[in-house]
Amino acid sequence: MVNAAGKFGPYNQPVPARSVPVGGAWDTRVLAGRGPTGAELVKSRIALRVRLRSVAPGDRLPDAGVLAEELGISEITVRRALEAMCQDGLLDRRRGRAGGTFVAADWDAVVAVLHDADEAAALDSFHLLLECGLVAHSTGEVPDGRLDGLRALVEELDLVEDPARLLELETRFHLDLAEALGGAGIREFAADLLGRQCLLGPAPDPAVVRARNRCHADLLDELTRGAMDPAVHAVKAHRRAGLN
Ligand SMILES: [Zn+2]
Protein backbone atom coordinates (compact mmCIF):
# COMPACT_ATOMS: atom_id res chain seq x y z
CA MET A 1 0.00 0.00 0.00
CA VAL A 2 2.75 2.41 0.91
CA ASN A 3 4.38 2.47 -2.50
CA ALA A 4 1.17 2.57 -4.47
CA ALA A 5 -0.30 5.27 -2.25
CA GLY A 6 2.79 7.32 -2.89
CA LYS A 7 1.77 7.90 -6.48
CA PHE A 8 -1.04 10.19 -5.41
CA GLY A 9 -0.50 13.85 -4.93
CA PRO A 10 2.02 16.52 -5.70
CA TYR A 11 4.15 15.60 -2.69
CA ASN A 12 5.03 12.44 -4.50
CA GLN A 13 8.06 12.56 -6.67
CA PRO A 14 10.20 9.61 -7.71
CA VAL A 15 12.04 8.63 -4.57
CA PRO A 16 15.34 10.52 -4.69
CA ALA A 17 18.57 9.19 -3.21
CA ARG A 18 18.37 11.80 -0.45
CA SER A 19 15.32 10.07 0.98
CA VAL A 20 17.29 7.11 2.26
CA PRO A 21 16.33 7.19 5.94
CA VAL A 22 18.79 8.73 8.36
CA GLY A 23 20.23 6.04 10.60
CA GLY A 24 19.11 3.09 8.47
CA ALA A 25 16.01 1.79 6.72
CA TRP A 26 12.60 1.82 8.38
CA ASP A 27 10.36 -1.12 7.70
CA THR A 28 7.01 0.63 7.33
CA ARG A 29 5.05 -2.54 6.60
CA VAL A 30 4.11 -2.66 10.25
CA LEU A 31 2.59 0.81 9.88
CA ALA A 32 0.81 -0.09 6.65
CA GLY A 33 -0.83 -3.04 8.38
CA ARG A 34 -2.56 -0.61 10.74
CA GLY A 35 -3.11 2.02 8.12
CA PRO A 36 -6.31 3.68 7.02
CA THR A 37 -9.10 1.85 5.20
CA GLY A 38 -9.42 2.49 1.48
CA ALA A 39 -12.22 4.98 2.06
CA GLU A 40 -10.21 6.88 4.69
CA LEU A 41 -7.21 6.93 2.39
CA VAL A 42 -9.21 8.45 -0.49
CA LYS A 43 -10.69 11.08 1.80
CA SER A 44 -7.46 12.08 3.52
CA ARG A 45 -5.44 12.18 0.27
CA ILE A 46 -8.02 14.38 -1.42
CA ALA A 47 -7.97 16.69 1.63
CA LEU A 48 -4.18 16.81 1.46
CA ARG A 49 -4.32 17.64 -2.25
CA VAL A 50 -6.64 20.55 -1.49
CA ARG A 51 -4.29 21.78 1.28
CA LEU A 52 -1.30 21.46 -1.08
CA ARG A 53 -3.33 23.25 -3.75
CA SER A 54 -2.80 20.66 -6.44
CA VAL A 55 -6.61 20.67 -6.67
CA ALA A 56 -8.91 23.56 -5.73
CA PRO A 57 -12.57 23.81 -4.71
CA GLY A 58 -14.63 23.52 -7.89
CA ASP A 59 -11.96 21.47 -9.71
CA ARG A 60 -12.72 18.14 -11.32
CA LEU A 61 -11.00 15.11 -9.77
CA PRO A 62 -9.32 12.41 -11.85
CA ASP A 63 -11.57 9.47 -12.78
CA ALA A 64 -12.11 6.75 -10.18
CA GLY A 65 -9.96 4.31 -12.18
CA VAL A 66 -7.05 6.72 -12.18
CA LEU A 67 -7.39 7.39 -8.46
CA ALA A 68 -7.59 3.65 -7.78
CA GLU A 69 -4.36 3.03 -9.61
CA GLU A 70 -2.61 5.96 -7.96
CA LEU A 71 -3.69 4.87 -4.49
CA GLY A 72 -3.17 1.16 -5.06
CA ILE A 73 -6.71 0.24 -4.04
CA SER A 74 -9.67 -1.15 -5.98
CA GLU A 75 -11.81 1.05 -8.20
CA ILE A 76 -14.97 -0.06 -6.42
CA THR A 77 -13.47 1.12 -3.10
CA VAL A 78 -12.66 4.49 -4.66
CA ARG A 79 -16.19 4.80 -6.12
CA ARG A 80 -17.74 4.06 -2.73
CA ALA A 81 -15.42 6.54 -1.02
CA LEU A 82 -16.24 9.27 -3.55
CA GLU A 83 -19.95 8.55 -3.15
CA ALA A 84 -19.65 8.89 0.63
CA MET A 85 -17.78 12.18 0.20
CA CYS A 86 -20.55 13.41 -2.11
CA GLN A 87 -23.08 12.59 0.61
CA ASP A 88 -20.97 14.52 3.13
CA GLY A 89 -21.01 17.48 0.75
CA LEU A 90 -17.24 17.45 0.22
CA LEU A 91 -17.61 16.52 -3.45
CA ASP A 92 -20.19 17.16 -6.18
CA ARG A 93 -21.15 14.69 -8.86
CA ARG A 94 -22.19 16.22 -12.16
CA ARG A 95 -23.68 14.25 -15.01
CA GLY A 96 -23.40 14.80 -18.72
CA ARG A 97 -20.60 15.50 -21.11
CA ALA A 98 -18.81 17.94 -18.79
CA GLY A 99 -19.63 15.71 -15.82
CA GLY A 100 -17.48 13.94 -13.29
CA THR A 101 -16.64 14.29 -9.61
CA PHE A 102 -15.70 17.78 -8.44
CA VAL A 103 -14.30 19.21 -5.22
CA ALA A 104 -17.22 21.10 -3.65
CA ALA A 105 -17.04 24.82 -4.26
CA ASP A 106 -17.76 25.38 -0.54
CA TRP A 107 -15.16 22.78 0.56
CA ASP A 108 -13.90 24.90 3.51
CA ALA A 109 -17.39 25.43 4.91
CA VAL A 110 -18.24 21.72 4.65
CA VAL A 111 -14.94 20.71 6.26
CA ALA A 112 -15.62 23.08 9.16
CA VAL A 113 -18.82 21.13 9.92
CA LEU A 114 -16.85 17.85 10.04
CA HIS A 115 -14.32 19.13 12.59
CA ASP A 116 -13.74 16.88 15.59
CA ALA A 117 -11.57 18.62 18.20
CA ASP A 118 -10.82 15.46 20.21
CA GLU A 119 -9.68 13.45 17.22
CA ALA A 120 -7.73 16.42 15.87
CA ALA A 121 -5.89 16.72 19.21
CA ALA A 122 -5.14 12.99 19.23
CA LEU A 123 -3.72 13.11 15.70
CA ASP A 124 -1.71 16.21 16.55
CA SER A 125 -0.19 14.44 19.56
CA PHE A 126 0.68 11.44 17.47
CA HIS A 127 2.27 13.63 14.82
CA LEU A 128 4.33 15.35 17.54
CA LEU A 129 5.45 11.95 18.79
CA LEU A 130 6.46 10.93 15.26
CA GLU A 131 8.50 14.09 14.71
CA CYS A 132 10.17 13.97 18.15
CA GLY A 133 11.11 10.36 17.48
CA LEU A 134 12.44 11.06 14.00
CA VAL A 135 14.43 14.06 15.20
CA ALA A 136 15.89 12.27 18.25
CA HIS A 137 16.77 9.28 16.10
CA SER A 138 18.40 11.33 13.36
CA THR A 139 20.30 14.06 15.18
CA GLY A 140 24.02 13.81 14.56
CA GLU A 141 23.57 11.57 11.52
CA VAL A 142 21.92 13.89 8.99
CA PRO A 143 24.03 13.89 5.79
CA ASP A 144 25.29 17.21 4.39
CA GLY A 145 22.78 18.79 2.04
CA ARG A 146 19.84 16.69 3.25
CA LEU A 147 18.14 19.71 4.81
CA ASP A 148 18.71 22.16 1.91
CA GLY A 149 15.19 21.80 0.51
CA LEU A 150 13.70 22.39 3.97
CA ARG A 151 15.79 25.55 4.43
CA ALA A 152 14.47 26.86 1.13
CA LEU A 153 10.92 26.23 2.35
CA VAL A 154 11.61 28.13 5.59
CA GLU A 155 12.96 31.10 3.63
CA GLU A 156 9.93 31.11 1.35
CA LEU A 157 7.55 30.85 4.31
CA ASP A 158 9.10 34.01 5.74
CA LEU A 159 8.33 35.94 2.55
CA VAL A 160 4.89 34.65 1.60
CA GLU A 161 1.79 36.78 2.30
CA ASP A 162 -0.97 34.65 0.77
CA PRO A 163 -2.61 32.61 3.59
CA ALA A 164 -3.35 29.60 1.37
CA ARG A 165 0.24 29.51 0.14
CA LEU A 166 1.44 29.77 3.77
CA LEU A 167 -0.62 26.72 4.72
CA GLU A 168 0.57 24.83 1.68
CA LEU A 169 4.23 25.47 2.55
CA GLU A 170 3.68 24.70 6.24
CA THR A 171 2.22 21.29 5.32
CA ARG A 172 4.92 20.67 2.74
CA PHE A 173 7.61 21.37 5.37
CA HIS A 174 6.34 18.56 7.58
CA LEU A 175 6.00 16.09 4.70
CA ASP A 176 9.50 16.89 3.49
CA LEU A 177 10.89 16.70 7.05
CA ALA A 178 9.39 13.22 7.44
CA GLU A 179 11.00 12.16 4.17
CA ALA A 180 14.37 13.80 4.87
CA LEU A 181 14.69 12.02 8.22
CA GLY A 182 12.60 8.89 7.75
CA GLY A 183 12.47 8.14 4.02
CA ALA A 184 9.61 7.78 1.57
CA GLY A 185 7.60 5.31 3.67
CA ILE A 186 7.55 7.65 6.68
CA ARG A 187 6.53 10.49 4.36
CA GLU A 188 3.47 8.46 3.37
CA PHE A 189 2.72 7.81 7.03
CA ALA A 190 2.99 11.54 7.77
CA ALA A 191 0.78 12.25 4.73
CA ASP A 192 -1.94 10.05 6.25
CA LEU A 193 -1.78 11.98 9.54
CA LEU A 194 -1.65 15.41 7.90
CA GLY A 195 -4.43 14.64 5.40
CA ARG A 196 -6.73 13.56 8.21
CA GLN A 197 -5.79 16.65 10.25
CA CYS A 198 -6.88 18.85 7.33
CA LEU A 199 -10.41 17.51 7.80
CA LEU A 200 -10.58 17.40 11.60
CA GLY A 201 -9.42 20.79 12.79
CA PRO A 202 -9.24 24.40 11.70
CA ALA A 203 -6.14 25.42 9.78
CA PRO A 204 -3.75 27.59 11.81
CA ASP A 205 -3.97 31.29 11.04
CA PRO A 206 -1.11 33.06 9.26
CA ALA A 207 0.36 34.57 12.47
CA VAL A 208 0.63 31.07 13.97
CA VAL A 209 2.28 29.69 10.84
CA ARG A 210 4.82 32.52 10.93
CA ALA A 211 5.57 31.85 14.62
CA ARG A 212 5.97 28.16 13.85
CA ASN A 213 8.35 28.96 11.03
CA ARG A 214 10.83 30.29 13.62
CA CYS A 215 10.69 26.81 15.18
CA HIS A 216 11.28 25.23 11.75
CA ALA A 217 14.42 27.37 11.38
CA ASP A 218 15.60 26.51 14.92
CA LEU A 219 15.00 22.81 14.27
CA LEU A 220 17.10 22.83 11.10
CA ASP A 221 19.90 24.74 12.86
CA GLU A 222 19.98 22.26 15.75
CA LEU A 223 19.82 19.24 13.42
CA THR A 224 22.76 20.67 11.49
CA ARG A 225 24.65 21.24 14.75
CA GLY A 226 23.83 17.72 15.90
CA ALA A 227 22.24 18.97 19.13
CA MET A 228 19.52 16.51 20.05
CA ASP A 229 17.91 18.15 23.09
CA PRO A 230 17.51 21.58 21.47
CA ALA A 231 16.28 19.93 18.25
CA VAL A 232 13.55 18.04 20.11
CA HIS A 233 12.79 21.23 22.04
CA ALA A 234 12.20 23.05 18.71
CA VAL A 235 9.69 20.37 17.66
CA LYS A 236 7.79 20.82 20.93
CA ALA A 237 7.98 24.63 20.73
CA HIS A 238 6.42 24.41 17.25
CA ARG A 239 3.35 22.82 18.71
CA ARG A 240 3.09 25.29 21.60
CA ALA A 241 3.34 28.15 19.12
CA GLY A 242 -0.04 26.99 17.90
CA LEU A 243 -1.60 26.80 21.34
CA ASN A 244 -0.69 30.24 22.70
ZN1 LIG B 1 5.28 23.65 10.89
Side-chain angles (χ1 to χ4, degrees):
M1 184 205 79
V2 164
N3 291 337
K7 293 179 190 165
F8 192 59
Y11 45 84
N12 172 47
Q13 278 105 33
V15 179
R18 67 176 173 82
S19 75
V20 173
V22 178
W26 297 95
D27 187 344
T28 52
R29 284 175 301 178
V30 62
L31 304 177
R34 292 162 176 270
T37 65
E40 288 165 347
L41 186 66
V42 172
K43 196 165 161 178
S44 76
R45 292 312 168 96
I46 289 173
L48 193 60
R49 277 185 94 157
V50 173
R51 173 63 59 86
L52 294 174
R53 303 203 301 170
S54 72
V55 66
D59 282 355
R60 187 179 184 280
L61 290 173
D63 292 333
V66 174
L67 291 174
E69 197 179 330
E70 288 175 348
L71 289 167
I73 58 179
S74 74
E75 189 172 332
I76 186 71
T77 301
V78 172
R79 287 189 185 286
R80 284 189 188 134
L82 295 179
E83 186 57 44
M85 288 180 73
C86 286
Q87 285 170 11
D88 286 343
L90 290 166
L91 303 178
D92 286 325
R93 175 140 310 141
R94 294 180 212 158
R95 306 204 181 275
R97 238 185 313 163
T101 306
F102 294 77
V103 179
D106 56 350
W107 169 272
D108 288 338
V110 177
V111 167
V113 174
L114 299 176
H115 283 174
D116 180 328
D118 289 344
E119 205 177 333
L123 274 180
D124 190 48
S125 296
F126 195 72
H127 186 238
L128 177 72
L129 198 62
L130 176 71
E131 286 195 341
C132 284
L134 281 172
V135 165
H137 185 267
S138 311
T139 310
E141 298 178 37
V142 183
D144 285 349
R146 176 70 65 91
L147 304 176
D148 290 353
L150 289 162
R151 287 192 190 288
L153 277 177
V154 167
E155 284 172 22
E156 196 178 346
L157 266 160
D158 267 339
L159 299 174
V160 163
E161 297 287 339
D162 175 39
R165 177 75 175 152
L166 268 175
L167 282 177
E168 176 197 342
L169 294 175
E170 156 69 10
T171 302
R172 202 172 287 282
F173 179 89
H174 294 277
L175 288 169
D176 288 358
L177 178 69
E179 179 165 349
L181 302 184
I186 297 294
R187 182 192 185 92
E188 291 307 311
F189 191 65
D192 289 336
L193 293 174
L194 292 168
R196 286 162 69 193
Q197 280 178 318
C198 291
L199 292 166
L200 290 171
D205 67 51
V208 169
V209 176
R210 280 184 226 288
R212 288 180 174 178
N213 199 37
R214 298 274 40 85
C215 304
H216 299 158
D218 291 346
L219 170 61
L220 297 180
D221 287 346
E222 301 302 351
L223 278 172
T224 302
R225 233 165 35 96
M228 182 166 77
D229 281 0
V232 172
H233 178 81
V235 175
K236 293 180 179 174
H238 176 282
R239 189 192 200 207
R240 285 196 301 275
L243 299 177
N244 289 338

